[in-house]
Amino acid sequence: MKVGDRVPTWFSGEPDGMSTVIAVLPYTGRYQFDCVLRLSAPRTRKGWIEQAWRCL
C-alpha cells in the first residue's frame, strides 16, 4: 500500500465505494496487521478515518 492508492470502504461517499490512502503509518498493536491506513472519509468531521490493514 502507498499514498494515493484506492481501497474499497463502506464510508467513502464515492459512487465507486473507494477511499484514497492519505497516509501509511506503522501498526504497533498486538494483532496480525502491518500498518494503519489513513483513508479519505469526506462525511466525517476530520475528513479521514484510520484503519488497521495488512499492507504486505
Side-chain angles (χ1 to χ4, degrees):
M1 266 319 141
K2 63 185 185 302
V3 173
D5 285 351
R6 295 187 46 84
V7 295
T9 60
W10 61 269
F11 51 79
S12 73
E14 300 290 332
D16 63 357
M18 304 288 272
S19 289
T20 304
V21 176
I22 299 170
V24 180
L25 309 166
Y27 177 76
T28 58
R30 67 167 57 164
Y31 300 104
Q32 296 180 359
F33 295 107
D34 303 305
C35 65
V36 174
L37 300 181
R38 184 171 288 177
L39 302 168
S40 62
R43 293 185 292 183
T44 64
R45 188 174 359 159
K46 294 179 183 179
W48 52 266
I49 289 178
E50 289 183 345
Q51 187 174 30
W53 204 271
R54 298 275 308 183
C55 295
L56 297 175

mmCIF file of all heavy atoms in Angstrom, residues 13-51:
data_model
loop_
_atom_site.group_PDB
_atom_site.id
_atom_site.type_symbol
_atom_site.label_atom_id
_atom_site.label_comp_id
_atom_site.label_asym_id
_atom_site.label_seq_id
_atom_site.Cartn_x
_atom_site.Cartn_y
_atom_site.Cartn_z
ATOM 1 N N GLY A 13 -18.318 7.494 0.507
ATOM 2 C CA GLY A 13 -19.195 8.518 -0.040
ATOM 3 C C GLY A 13 -19.041 8.695 -1.541
ATOM 4 O O GLY A 13 -19.681 9.550 -2.138
ATOM 5 N N GLU A 14 -18.187 7.912 -2.155
ATOM 6 C CA GLU A 14 -17.955 7.973 -3.599
ATOM 7 C C GLU A 14 -18.850 6.964 -4.309
ATOM 8 O O GLU A 14 -19.185 5.926 -3.741
ATOM 9 C CB GLU A 14 -16.493 7.652 -3.913
ATOM 10 C CG GLU A 14 -15.490 8.604 -3.281
ATOM 11 C CD GLU A 14 -15.529 9.979 -3.897
ATOM 12 O OE1 GLU A 14 -15.883 10.100 -5.089
ATOM 13 O OE2 GLU A 14 -15.215 10.940 -3.186
ATOM 14 N N PRO A 15 -19.234 7.232 -5.565
ATOM 15 C CA PRO A 15 -20.080 6.289 -6.308
ATOM 16 C C PRO A 15 -19.445 4.906 -6.480
ATOM 17 O O PRO A 15 -20.139 3.904 -6.497
ATOM 18 C CB PRO A 15 -20.272 6.957 -7.662
ATOM 19 C CG PRO A 15 -19.942 8.392 -7.458
ATOM 20 C CD PRO A 15 -18.989 8.461 -6.309
ATOM 21 N N ASP A 16 -18.100 4.860 -6.580
ATOM 22 C CA ASP A 16 -17.428 3.571 -6.766
ATOM 23 C C ASP A 16 -17.129 2.866 -5.439
ATOM 24 O O ASP A 16 -16.627 1.746 -5.418
ATOM 25 C CB ASP A 16 -16.150 3.740 -7.581
ATOM 26 C CG ASP A 16 -15.103 4.623 -6.908
ATOM 27 O OD1 ASP A 16 -15.369 5.171 -5.819
ATOM 28 O OD2 ASP A 16 -14.010 4.764 -7.489
ATOM 29 N N GLY A 17 -17.400 3.522 -4.293
ATOM 30 C CA GLY A 17 -17.180 2.910 -2.982
ATOM 31 C C GLY A 17 -15.727 2.811 -2.583
ATOM 32 O O GLY A 17 -15.372 2.019 -1.711
ATOM 33 N N MET A 18 -14.852 3.627 -3.158
ATOM 34 C CA MET A 18 -13.420 3.565 -2.889
ATOM 35 C C MET A 18 -12.970 4.803 -2.121
ATOM 36 O O MET A 18 -13.432 5.911 -2.382
ATOM 37 C CB MET A 18 -12.632 3.476 -4.193
ATOM 38 C CG MET A 18 -13.029 2.312 -5.083
ATOM 39 S SD MET A 18 -12.494 0.749 -4.451
ATOM 40 C CE MET A 18 -10.882 0.660 -5.152
ATOM 41 N N SER A 19 -12.045 4.610 -1.165
ATOM 42 C CA SER A 19 -11.412 5.704 -0.439
ATOM 43 C C SER A 19 -9.955 5.794 -0.871
ATOM 44 O O SER A 19 -9.337 4.797 -1.238
ATOM 45 C CB SER A 19 -11.460 5.466 1.066
ATOM 46 O OG SER A 19 -12.762 5.620 1.551
ATOM 47 N N THR A 20 -9.392 6.981 -0.772
ATOM 48 C CA THR A 20 -7.993 7.216 -1.132
ATOM 49 C C THR A 20 -7.122 7.120 0.109
ATOM 50 O O THR A 20 -7.475 7.646 1.168
ATOM 51 C CB THR A 20 -7.838 8.606 -1.767
ATOM 52 O OG1 THR A 20 -8.709 8.697 -2.884
ATOM 53 C CG2 THR A 20 -6.415 8.851 -2.231
ATOM 54 N N VAL A 21 -5.956 6.469 -0.024
ATOM 55 C CA VAL A 21 -4.994 6.374 1.072
ATOM 56 C C VAL A 21 -4.294 7.725 1.200
ATOM 57 O O VAL A 21 -3.664 8.200 0.250
ATOM 58 C CB VAL A 21 -3.966 5.250 0.826
ATOM 59 C CG1 VAL A 21 -2.923 5.224 1.927
ATOM 60 C CG2 VAL A 21 -4.657 3.905 0.702
ATOM 61 N N ILE A 22 -4.419 8.349 2.366
ATOM 62 C CA ILE A 22 -3.811 9.655 2.624
ATOM 63 C C ILE A 22 -2.444 9.497 3.276
ATOM 64 O O ILE A 22 -1.527 10.267 3.021
ATOM 65 C CB ILE A 22 -4.732 10.501 3.525
ATOM 66 C CG1 ILE A 22 -6.062 10.724 2.818
ATOM 67 C CG2 ILE A 22 -4.092 11.813 3.912
ATOM 68 C CD1 ILE A 22 -7.123 11.332 3.701
ATOM 69 N N ALA A 23 -2.303 8.482 4.152
ATOM 70 C CA ALA A 23 -1.039 8.229 4.842
ATOM 71 C C ALA A 23 -0.955 6.757 5.209
ATOM 72 O O ALA A 23 -1.976 6.100 5.406
ATOM 73 C CB ALA A 23 -0.934 9.085 6.100
ATOM 74 N N VAL A 24 0.269 6.248 5.284
ATOM 75 C CA VAL A 24 0.526 4.880 5.740
ATOM 76 C C VAL A 24 1.390 4.992 6.989
ATOM 77 O O VAL A 24 2.497 5.523 6.943
ATOM 78 C CB VAL A 24 1.247 4.053 4.651
ATOM 79 C CG1 VAL A 24 1.506 2.638 5.152
ATOM 80 C CG2 VAL A 24 0.442 4.037 3.361
ATOM 81 N N LEU A 25 0.864 4.515 8.114
ATOM 82 C CA LEU A 25 1.523 4.638 9.414
ATOM 83 C C LEU A 25 1.873 3.255 9.947
ATOM 84 O O LEU A 25 1.225 2.272 9.587
ATOM 85 C CB LEU A 25 0.583 5.352 10.383
ATOM 86 C CG LEU A 25 -0.006 6.673 9.878
ATOM 87 C CD1 LEU A 25 -1.161 7.114 10.756
ATOM 88 C CD2 LEU A 25 1.069 7.720 9.819
ATOM 89 N N PRO A 26 2.880 3.147 10.828
ATOM 90 C CA PRO A 26 3.216 1.840 11.392
ATOM 91 C C PRO A 26 2.138 1.363 12.364
ATOM 92 O O PRO A 26 1.541 2.160 13.083
ATOM 93 C CB PRO A 26 4.533 2.091 12.121
ATOM 94 C CG PRO A 26 4.564 3.546 12.383
ATOM 95 C CD PRO A 26 3.775 4.202 11.292
ATOM 96 N N TYR A 27 1.925 0.057 12.384
ATOM 97 C CA TYR A 27 0.973 -0.553 13.327
ATOM 98 C C TYR A 27 1.758 -1.033 14.529
ATOM 99 O O TYR A 27 2.756 -1.751 14.384
ATOM 100 C CB TYR A 27 0.242 -1.710 12.660
ATOM 101 C CG TYR A 27 -0.703 -2.435 13.588
ATOM 102 C CD1 TYR A 27 -1.921 -1.866 13.930
ATOM 103 C CD2 TYR A 27 -0.384 -3.661 14.131
ATOM 104 C CE1 TYR A 27 -2.797 -2.511 14.788
ATOM 105 C CE2 TYR A 27 -1.248 -4.320 14.985
ATOM 106 C CZ TYR A 27 -2.457 -3.738 15.310
ATOM 107 O OH TYR A 27 -3.319 -4.380 16.158
ATOM 108 N N THR A 28 1.347 -0.664 15.715
ATOM 109 C CA THR A 28 2.090 -1.024 16.928
ATOM 110 C C THR A 28 1.306 -1.939 17.854
ATOM 111 O O THR A 28 1.725 -2.167 18.980
ATOM 112 C CB THR A 28 2.491 0.258 17.698
ATOM 113 O OG1 THR A 28 1.304 0.983 18.002
ATOM 114 C CG2 THR A 28 3.427 1.116 16.866
ATOM 115 N N GLY A 29 0.185 -2.471 17.390
ATOM 116 C CA GLY A 29 -0.644 -3.330 18.219
ATOM 117 C C GLY A 29 -0.153 -4.761 18.256
ATOM 118 O O GLY A 29 0.879 -5.111 17.698
ATOM 119 N N ARG A 30 -0.943 -5.617 18.876
ATOM 120 C CA ARG A 30 -0.531 -6.999 19.065
ATOM 121 C C ARG A 30 -1.093 -7.954 18.023
ATOM 122 O O ARG A 30 -0.722 -9.122 17.996
ATOM 123 C CB ARG A 30 -0.928 -7.476 20.445
ATOM 124 C CG ARG A 30 -2.434 -7.565 20.627
ATOM 125 C CD ARG A 30 -2.857 -8.314 21.837
ATOM 126 N NE ARG A 30 -2.305 -7.755 23.050
ATOM 127 C CZ ARG A 30 -2.748 -8.026 24.247
ATOM 128 N NH1 ARG A 30 -3.753 -8.856 24.406
ATOM 129 N NH2 ARG A 30 -2.211 -7.498 25.310
ATOM 130 N N TYR A 31 -1.992 -7.517 17.193
ATOM 131 C CA TYR A 31 -2.632 -8.421 16.233
ATOM 132 C C TYR A 31 -1.872 -8.454 14.916
ATOM 133 O O TYR A 31 -0.887 -7.756 14.739
ATOM 134 C CB TYR A 31 -4.092 -8.020 16.042
ATOM 135 C CG TYR A 31 -4.850 -8.078 17.336
ATOM 136 C CD1 TYR A 31 -5.177 -6.917 18.015
ATOM 137 C CD2 TYR A 31 -5.181 -9.293 17.915
ATOM 138 C CE1 TYR A 31 -5.838 -6.963 19.231
ATOM 139 C CE2 TYR A 31 -5.846 -9.352 19.130
ATOM 140 C CZ TYR A 31 -6.171 -8.179 19.781
ATOM 141 O OH TYR A 31 -6.816 -8.240 20.984
ATOM 142 N N GLN A 32 -2.319 -9.266 13.980
ATOM 143 C CA GLN A 32 -1.562 -9.519 12.759
ATOM 144 C C GLN A 32 -1.849 -8.501 11.664
ATOM 145 O O GLN A 32 -2.239 -8.852 10.557
ATOM 146 C CB GLN A 32 -1.858 -10.928 12.268
ATOM 147 C CG GLN A 32 -1.386 -11.978 13.235
ATOM 148 C CD GLN A 32 -1.696 -13.373 12.732
ATOM 149 O OE1 GLN A 32 -2.275 -13.560 11.683
ATOM 150 N NE2 GLN A 32 -1.309 -14.363 13.493
ATOM 151 N N PHE A 33 -1.634 -7.231 11.959
ATOM 152 C CA PHE A 33 -1.716 -6.180 10.958
ATOM 153 C C PHE A 33 -0.307 -5.647 10.737
ATOM 154 O O PHE A 33 0.568 -5.805 11.586
ATOM 155 C CB PHE A 33 -2.642 -5.050 11.431
ATOM 156 C CG PHE A 33 -4.069 -5.480 11.592
ATOM 157 C CD1 PHE A 33 -4.609 -5.650 12.855
ATOM 158 C CD2 PHE A 33 -4.867 -5.718 10.489
ATOM 159 C CE1 PHE A 33 -5.933 -6.038 13.017
ATOM 160 C CE2 PHE A 33 -6.191 -6.122 10.637
ATOM 161 C CZ PHE A 33 -6.715 -6.278 11.911
ATOM 162 N N ASP A 34 -0.097 -5.012 9.611
ATOM 163 C CA ASP A 34 1.228 -4.488 9.284
ATOM 164 C C ASP A 34 1.289 -2.966 9.355
ATOM 165 O O ASP A 34 2.343 -2.399 9.610
ATOM 166 C CB ASP A 34 1.626 -4.913 7.868
ATOM 167 C CG ASP A 34 1.598 -6.405 7.692
ATOM 168 O OD1 ASP A 34 2.254 -7.096 8.476
ATOM 169 O OD2 ASP A 34 0.902 -6.865 6.777
ATOM 170 N N CYS A 35 0.176 -2.318 9.088
ATOM 171 C CA CYS A 35 0.187 -0.862 9.027
ATOM 172 C C CYS A 35 -1.196 -0.307 9.356
ATOM 173 O O CYS A 35 -2.162 -1.049 9.477
ATOM 174 C CB CYS A 35 0.623 -0.385 7.650
ATOM 175 S SG CYS A 35 -0.518 -0.835 6.341
ATOM 176 N N VAL A 36 -1.249 0.993 9.506
ATOM 177 C CA VAL A 36 -2.512 1.708 9.695
ATOM 178 C C VAL A 36 -2.652 2.644 8.503
ATOM 179 O O VAL A 36 -1.731 3.405 8.197
ATOM 180 C CB VAL A 36 -2.518 2.502 11.011
ATOM 181 C CG1 VAL A 36 -3.769 3.349 11.120
ATOM 182 C CG2 VAL A 36 -2.389 1.566 12.194
ATOM 183 N N LEU A 37 -3.776 2.564 7.827
ATOM 184 C CA LEU A 37 -4.032 3.444 6.697
ATOM 185 C C LEU A 37 -4.920 4.588 7.137
ATOM 186 O O LEU A 37 -5.927 4.370 7.815
ATOM 187 C CB LEU A 37 -4.730 2.687 5.565
ATOM 188 C CG LEU A 37 -3.998 1.499 4.959
ATOM 189 C CD1 LEU A 37 -4.841 0.912 3.841
ATOM 190 C CD2 LEU A 37 -2.626 1.892 4.464
ATOM 191 N N ARG A 38 -4.549 5.790 6.772
ATOM 192 C CA ARG A 38 -5.434 6.941 6.954
ATOM 193 C C ARG A 38 -6.155 7.109 5.622
ATOM 194 O O ARG A 38 -5.531 7.379 4.597
ATOM 195 C CB ARG A 38 -4.637 8.182 7.307
ATOM 196 C CG ARG A 38 -5.525 9.368 7.599
ATOM 197 C CD ARG A 38 -4.746 10.516 8.144
ATOM 198 N NE ARG A 38 -4.321 10.200 9.517
ATOM 199 C CZ ARG A 38 -3.559 10.999 10.250
ATOM 200 N NH1 ARG A 38 -3.131 12.134 9.764
ATOM 201 N NH2 ARG A 38 -3.227 10.644 11.472
ATOM 202 N N LEU A 39 -7.479 6.912 5.650
ATOM 203 C CA LEU A 39 -8.288 6.879 4.438
ATOM 204 C C LEU A 39 -9.223 8.076 4.367
ATOM 205 O O LEU A 39 -9.747 8.526 5.388
ATOM 206 C CB LEU A 39 -9.121 5.594 4.413
ATOM 207 C CG LEU A 39 -8.329 4.290 4.477
ATOM 208 C CD1 LEU A 39 -9.270 3.133 4.745
ATOM 209 C CD2 LEU A 39 -7.554 4.076 3.207
ATOM 210 N N SER A 40 -9.442 8.565 3.161
ATOM 211 C CA SER A 40 -10.380 9.677 2.981
ATOM 212 C C SER A 40 -11.787 9.232 3.350
ATOM 213 O O SER A 40 -12.216 8.136 3.015
ATOM 214 C CB SER A 40 -10.341 10.168 1.534
ATOM 215 O OG SER A 40 -10.737 9.139 0.651
ATOM 216 N N ALA A 41 -12.479 10.096 4.082
ATOM 217 C CA ALA A 41 -13.864 9.850 4.502
ATOM 218 C C ALA A 41 -14.536 11.219 4.606
ATOM 219 O O ALA A 41 -14.617 11.794 5.689
ATOM 220 C CB ALA A 41 -13.903 9.104 5.823
ATOM 221 N N PRO A 42 -14.990 11.769 3.488
ATOM 222 C CA PRO A 42 -15.459 13.150 3.455
ATOM 223 C C PRO A 42 -16.668 13.450 4.345
ATOM 224 O O PRO A 42 -16.864 14.606 4.710
ATOM 225 C CB PRO A 42 -15.791 13.390 1.984
ATOM 226 C CG PRO A 42 -15.832 12.062 1.346
ATOM 227 C CD PRO A 42 -15.051 11.127 2.192
ATOM 228 N N ARG A 43 -17.427 12.456 4.729
ATOM 229 C CA ARG A 43 -18.601 12.721 5.562
ATOM 230 C C ARG A 43 -18.291 12.739 7.050
ATOM 231 O O ARG A 43 -19.182 12.907 7.867
ATOM 232 C CB ARG A 43 -19.691 11.699 5.258
ATOM 233 C CG ARG A 43 -20.241 11.853 3.845
ATOM 234 C CD ARG A 43 -21.379 10.925 3.599
ATOM 235 N NE ARG A 43 -20.875 9.549 3.597
ATOM 236 C CZ ARG A 43 -21.606 8.497 3.357
ATOM 237 N NH1 ARG A 43 -22.883 8.617 3.099
ATOM 238 N NH2 ARG A 43 -21.080 7.290 3.354
ATOM 239 N N THR A 44 -17.030 12.567 7.444
ATOM 240 C CA THR A 44 -16.645 12.627 8.851
ATOM 241 C C THR A 44 -16.173 14.033 9.203
ATOM 242 O O THR A 44 -15.841 14.827 8.322
ATOM 243 C CB THR A 44 -15.525 11.622 9.168
ATOM 244 O OG1 THR A 44 -14.363 11.981 8.430
ATOM 245 C CG2 THR A 44 -15.940 10.196 8.823
ATOM 246 N N ARG A 45 -16.096 14.326 10.483
ATOM 247 C CA ARG A 45 -15.680 15.659 10.934
ATOM 248 C C ARG A 45 -14.248 15.977 10.508
ATOM 249 O O ARG A 45 -13.947 17.085 10.084
ATOM 250 C CB ARG A 45 -15.803 15.740 12.451
ATOM 251 C CG ARG A 45 -15.584 17.109 12.991
ATOM 252 C CD ARG A 45 -15.853 17.218 14.471
ATOM 253 N NE ARG A 45 -16.301 15.977 15.074
ATOM 254 C CZ ARG A 45 -16.224 15.687 16.345
ATOM 255 N NH1 ARG A 45 -15.704 16.549 17.177
ATOM 256 N NH2 ARG A 45 -16.654 14.537 16.823
ATOM 257 N N LYS A 46 -13.345 15.008 10.635
ATOM 258 C CA LYS A 46 -11.940 15.219 10.276
ATOM 259 C C LYS A 46 -11.676 15.057 8.780
ATOM 260 O O LYS A 46 -10.664 15.511 8.281
ATOM 261 C CB LYS A 46 -11.049 14.238 11.031
ATOM 262 C CG LYS A 46 -11.030 14.457 12.517
ATOM 263 C CD LYS A 46 -10.140 13.430 13.184
ATOM 264 C CE LYS A 46 -10.161 13.582 14.679
ATOM 265 N NZ LYS A 46 -9.309 12.577 15.323
ATOM 266 N N GLY A 47 -12.554 14.337 8.096
ATOM 267 C CA GLY A 47 -12.353 14.088 6.666
ATOM 268 C C GLY A 47 -11.551 12.833 6.373
ATOM 269 O O GLY A 47 -11.254 12.543 5.223
ATOM 270 N N TRP A 48 -11.198 12.082 7.413
ATOM 271 C CA TRP A 48 -10.452 10.842 7.251
ATOM 272 C C TRP A 48 -10.754 9.886 8.399
ATOM 273 O O TRP A 48 -11.238 10.293 9.442
ATOM 274 C CB TRP A 48 -8.949 11.090 7.143
ATOM 275 C CG TRP A 48 -8.374 11.932 8.244
ATOM 276 C CD1 TRP A 48 -8.195 13.285 8.219
ATOM 277 C CD2 TRP A 48 -7.904 11.507 9.533
ATOM 278 N NE1 TRP A 48 -7.651 13.723 9.405
ATOM 279 C CE2 TRP A 48 -7.457 12.656 10.230
ATOM 280 C CE3 TRP A 48 -7.835 10.276 10.168
ATOM 281 C CZ2 TRP A 48 -6.936 12.589 11.508
ATOM 282 C CZ3 TRP A 48 -7.317 10.219 11.448
ATOM 283 C CH2 TRP A 48 -6.871 11.379 12.103
ATOM 284 N N ILE A 49 -10.429 8.612 8.162
ATOM 285 C CA ILE A 49 -10.571 7.555 9.171
ATOM 286 C C ILE A 49 -9.311 6.698 9.105
ATOM 287 O O ILE A 49 -8.794 6.427 8.013
ATOM 288 C CB ILE A 49 -11.816 6.675 8.899
ATOM 289 C CG1 ILE A 49 -13.083 7.460 9.201
ATOM 290 C CG2 ILE A 49 -11.784 5.382 9.702
ATOM 291 C CD1 ILE A 49 -14.355 6.685 8.915
ATOM 292 N N GLU A 50 -8.801 6.272 10.270
ATOM 293 C CA GLU A 50 -7.659 5.355 10.292
ATOM 294 C C GLU A 50 -8.170 3.932 10.486
ATOM 295 O O GLU A 50 -9.081 3.694 11.269
ATOM 296 C CB GLU A 50 -6.694 5.725 11.416
ATOM 297 C CG GLU A 50 -5.951 7.004 11.120
ATOM 298 C CD GLU A 50 -4.945 7.374 12.166
ATOM 299 O OE1 GLU A 50 -4.970 6.814 13.282
ATOM 300 O OE2 GLU A 50 -4.112 8.228 11.866
ATOM 301 N N GLN A 51 -7.546 3.008 9.755
ATOM 302 C CA GLN A 51 -7.976 1.610 9.789
ATOM 303 C C GLN A 51 -6.745 0.717 9.719
ATOM 304 O O GLN A 51 -5.867 0.913 8.871
ATOM 305 C CB GLN A 51 -8.901 1.356 8.609
ATOM 306 C CG GLN A 51 -9.555 0.023 8.595
ATOM 307 C CD GLN A 51 -10.566 -0.077 7.471
ATOM 308 O OE1 GLN A 51 -10.434 0.542 6.422
ATOM 309 N NE2 GLN A 51 -11.601 -0.859 7.684
#
